[in-house]
Every structure is written in structure tokens, then in C-alpha cells.
């Protein structure tokens, strides 16, 4: 009985998450993973906020370089920290849907997947007045219903060109090296402005913020501009 259950769970996981995630992450099927427009630019994206400790500090860095980003927000945190969510919008940044709760996609059936997306969308709309048009699933893990529901709800699914590995126990120098060694034209960069996500190191954003300053400084001197998703997709 236990063996059957484990088997069932494994098959379900493979069908429900590994295959769609493979198509999305490696083959980039139906997802935006780099800018469509030509040009020497990058796009900045931040996941898992709004965060009471770190989001404002990220906004300050973005102001310092006068650049705009897209923040993929967690619905329940938007309700918990409405002022931070509103401030992101007031500063002129874009908002995307990350999830209502940061949970695993493969255990969600179609109805729950849809309900989660709508709940997150509604929280963002209610608090900020913005209707997001982009979505990114937690951990970049897909189930097949995520695609379908995003399409129905009119969201473009956005991933990233490469991972910055900013969410673990790391150093600013490591993140800077990871990003600058791989960056090229039209990259969509991903960072995390909250450390309370399962799997993340709680003070990781502290390190990321330091790295972000160095990365933006270097990208500027290397002639890169920073564009918003709306400008290049
Ligand atoms: Zn996330």
C-alpha cells in the first residue's frame, strides 16, 4: 500500500511538474526568458516581496541608478504590507503576480491553481490599483494548469535568462561574479527582495542589495541600459 502510494506520488510529480517545468525552463516553451526587442539592455526582476525589511532598500538602489524593475509579488504579503506594495507602484515600477502563497505547484489541481492566481491578482489590484499582466510561478515550477490559467487570465509568463543564486548563503562578490560573467544583451535578471521564502537564507537580501549596487554600477559603465518588461516584450 505504502509502495503504491509512493509510486503514485512519483508518477504524479513527473507528469504534473517535471515535464512542464522542463519545457518551460530548458526549452522556453511559451515563456518570456529574455527581452524580445533588440538592444544592449537588461531587465531587472525581483521576486517574493513586498518585504518590510528589504524592498524599500531595493527601491532606493533603483532610484540611485534611475532604473525601473518588475516586482513579482506574493499576494498574502501584499495584504500584510500594503504600504510597501503601494510604494513600489508609486516609484513607477511594474508589478507581476508570483503567487498568493509561496507554495508548491505540483500539488495544486487546476481549480486551486486558478484560484491562487486570481486571489493574488485581486490582492494586488485592491491594494495598489494595478492590474498585473505578468506572472512567474514560485521557484519557476510549473504544472500544466499554470500555463492554461495564465493564458485565460491574460498574463504573460516571465522567467529569467539565468539564475543569480542570490537566495542562498552567499557573498555579494559571488553574486556579482555570477551575474557579470553571464550577462549579455536582452537578459532578464532575477533577484529576491525577501528572505522568508522556504529554501531561502533569511538575510540573503542583505547580500543581494550590496551586490545589486555593484552590478548596476558595472552595467552602466559597460554601456547597458535597464529597460522595463513593457518596453521590451
Ligand atoms: Zn519565489
Amino acid at each position: 500500500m505504502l509502495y503504491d502510494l509512493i509510486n503514485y506520488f512519483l508518477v504524479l510529480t513527473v507528469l504534473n511538474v517535471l515535464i512542464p517545468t522542463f519545457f518551460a525552463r530548458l526549452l522556453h516553451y511559451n515563456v518570456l526568458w529574455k527581452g524580445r526587442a533588440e538592444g544592449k539592455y537588461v531587465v531587472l526582476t525581483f521576486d517574493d516581496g513586498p518585504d518590510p525589511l528589504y524592498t524599500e532598500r531595493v527601491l532606493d538602489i533603483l532610484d540611485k541608478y534611475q532604473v525601473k524593475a518588475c516586482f513579482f509579488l506574493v499576494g498574502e504579503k501584499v495584504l500584510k504590507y500594503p504600504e510597501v506594495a503601494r510604494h513600489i507602484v508609486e516609484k513607477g515600477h511594474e508589478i507581476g503576480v508570483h503567487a498568493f502563497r509561496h507554495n508548491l505547484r505540483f500539488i495544486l489541481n487546476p481549480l486551486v491553481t486558478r484560484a491562487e492566481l486570481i486571489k493574488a491578482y485581486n490582492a494586488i489590484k485592491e491594494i495598489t490599483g494595478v492590474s498585473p499582466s505578468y506572472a512567474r510561478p514560485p521557484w519557476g515550477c510549473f504544472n500544466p494548469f499554470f500555463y492554461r490559467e495564465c493564458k485565460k487570465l491574460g498574463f504573460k509568463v516571465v522567467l529569467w535568462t539565468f539564475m543569480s543564486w542570490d537566495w542562498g548563503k552567499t557573498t555579494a562578490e559571488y553574486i556579482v561574479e555570477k551575474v557579470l560573467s553571464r550577462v549579455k544583451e536582452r537578459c532578464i535578471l532575477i533577484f529576491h527582495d525577501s528572505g522568508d521564502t522556504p529554501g531561502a537564507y533569511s538575510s540573503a537580501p542583505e547580500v543581494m542589495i550590496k551586490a545589486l549596487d555593484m552590478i548596476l554600477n558595472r552595467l552602466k559603465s559597460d554601456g547597458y541600459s535597464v529597460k522595463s518588461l513593457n518596453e521590451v516584450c
Side-chain angles (χ1 to χ4, degrees), residues 144-162:
F145 313 115
F146 188 83
Y147 274 127
R148 195 186 66 181
E149 296 308 330
C150 280
K151 199 170 177 189
K152 278 193 198 166
L153 294 165
F155 300 147
K156 287 181 188 165
V157 181
V158 180
L159 289 182
W160 49 84
T161 310
F162 58 85

Side-chain angles (χ1 to χ4, degrees), residues 47-49 72 74 98-99 102 136-140 190-192 197-198:
D47 286 9
D48 299 352
F72 287 88
V74 176
H98 197 32
H102 207 289
R136 172 183 283 165
W139 298 292
I190 175 174
F191 301 100
H192 298 80
T197 307

